[in-house]
Amino acid sequence: MMPGGTDGLYRDLLAHPHTLYARVDVHSGPALDAPIVAADIPFTSGSVAASLTSRVARSMFMGIDESWYPVLASDPLAPYGNVLRVYRGVVMGDGAITYQWPVFTGRIQYVQLDDTGQVRIEASDLAADVVDHGFENPENSSAGVLIPTEVKRLISDGLPSAAFGTFDDYTEVVKPLTWEQDRGAGLDEMGFSVGSYWYPLADGQFVLRKYPWTVSAAPVITLADGEGGIITSVQIGRASCRERV
């Protein structure tokens, strides 16, 4: 597990004034060991959006100075294969960056320079590479193999450099199926059959994980009222089926 979360020092940092840390590196490709083309790109704005209900789970945009606009196809931010890796964390009092995590890994998709001199960079996570690589011919499933094995095969065929994280446990096997063109649809179909999502993590590693609400787990935090509790107020209400306005 990554540091943070219920870590006492990290929670104490968040409870007091602190400095946020953010870094964007450009790599030559999606492989975990792909060389860095440019490190710590200076940016003026940016955000990462994430949703498990979308095949492309993460997307991001970044605003940068005009001097970084990719005039040549070989420039670091040219949308021809280079990958952004984005990190976020907090700076500790002594300047250390103990708590930092990857929040996005994806290929540069679009670069735009406007008349104000601002450059907008848009990127999508590595699921976009897999989805964009459709089947050239109808593809038959490997009937009888475990579903995680087939998921890895379809992802690797679409993105040969794909890396994989820890999958949930599955005993279900693949049925005889034929997919026409849409590789993403094939992966969606297998995931749906076992109540799971396939997606890349923030560091770019692909996983197959069960819907979170179907998996029993210990609570992260318990809220209690009464003496010694941490709930200060509560409201109870009932409503008819008619929508409240």
Side-chain angles (χ1 to χ4, degrees):
M1 179 178 291
M2 296 181 180
T6 56
D7 182 283
L9 178 57
Y10 176 69
R11 293 176 68 87
D12 187 59
L13 279 171
L14 295 183
H16 296 85
H18 58 277
T19 302
L20 294 176
Y21 172 78
R23 188 178 88 248
V24 179
D25 295 338
V26 183
H27 291 251
S28 62
L32 293 177
D33 59 352
I36 293 179
V37 176
D40 202 5
I41 298 293
F43 57 90
T44 57
S45 61
S47 68
V48 174
S51 173
L52 280 179
T53 60
S54 171
R55 287 181 182 174
V56 179
R58 289 179 174 86
S59 59
M60 73 156 289
F61 91 88
M62 177 176 67
I64 59 175
D65 184 75
E66 181 178 1
S67 61
W68 282 91
Y69 182 77
V71 177
L72 303 176
S74 57
D75 286 344
L77 296 176
Y80 304 123
N82 285 351
V83 166
L84 299 180
R85 290 187 178 272
V86 183
Y87 303 86
R88 191 69 184 267
V90 293
V91 180
M92 301 181 70
D94 61 357
I97 312 172
T98 303
Y99 297 104
Q100 61 167 304
W101 304 271
V103 294
F104 177 84
T105 299
R107 204 179 298 273
I108 301 169
Q109 302 284 346
Y110 180 70
V111 184
Q112 174 185 283
L113 171 63
D114 65 25
D115 56 5
T116 68
Q118 282 293 299
V119 177
R120 180 183 175 91
I121 306 290
E122 296 180 4
S124 299
D125 71 23
L126 300 180
D129 289 44
V130 176
V131 173
D132 289 345
H133 193 146
F135 300 119
E136 295 182 2
N137 300 295
E139 179 84 6
N140 293 324
S141 65
S142 302
V145 304
L146 291 174
I147 281 182
T149 301
E150 185 71 339
V151 166
K152 290 180 179 180
R153 181 181 75 85
L154 292 191
I155 291 175
S156 295
D157 286 352
L159 182 64
S161 60
F164 297 94
T166 303
F167 283 31
D168 282 340
D169 294 326
Y170 300 90
T171 58
E172 297 86 351
V173 299
V174 181
K175 297 179 180 179
L177 301 167
T178 299
W179 300 295
E180 295 296 328
Q181 294 180 319
D182 192 337
R183 185 179 302 272
L187 289 162
D188 291 345
E189 185 175 8
M190 286 189 290
F192 179 77
S193 71
V194 289
S196 302
Y197 291 120
W198 68 276
Y199 58 97
L201 299 172
D203 64 359
Q205 296 186 83
F206 285 87
V207 295
L208 181 68
R209 300 273 176 86
K210 296 176 181 177
Y211 301 150
W213 54 89
T214 66
V215 180
S216 299
V220 175
I221 188 172
T222 299
L223 304 179
D225 60 0
E227 185 176 353
I230 57 177
I231 298 177
T232 59
S233 65
V234 65
Q235 292 181 337
I236 299 175
R238 294 182 177 180
S240 67
C241 294
R242 180 178 298 176
E243 183 178 353
R244 293 182 62 195
V245 292

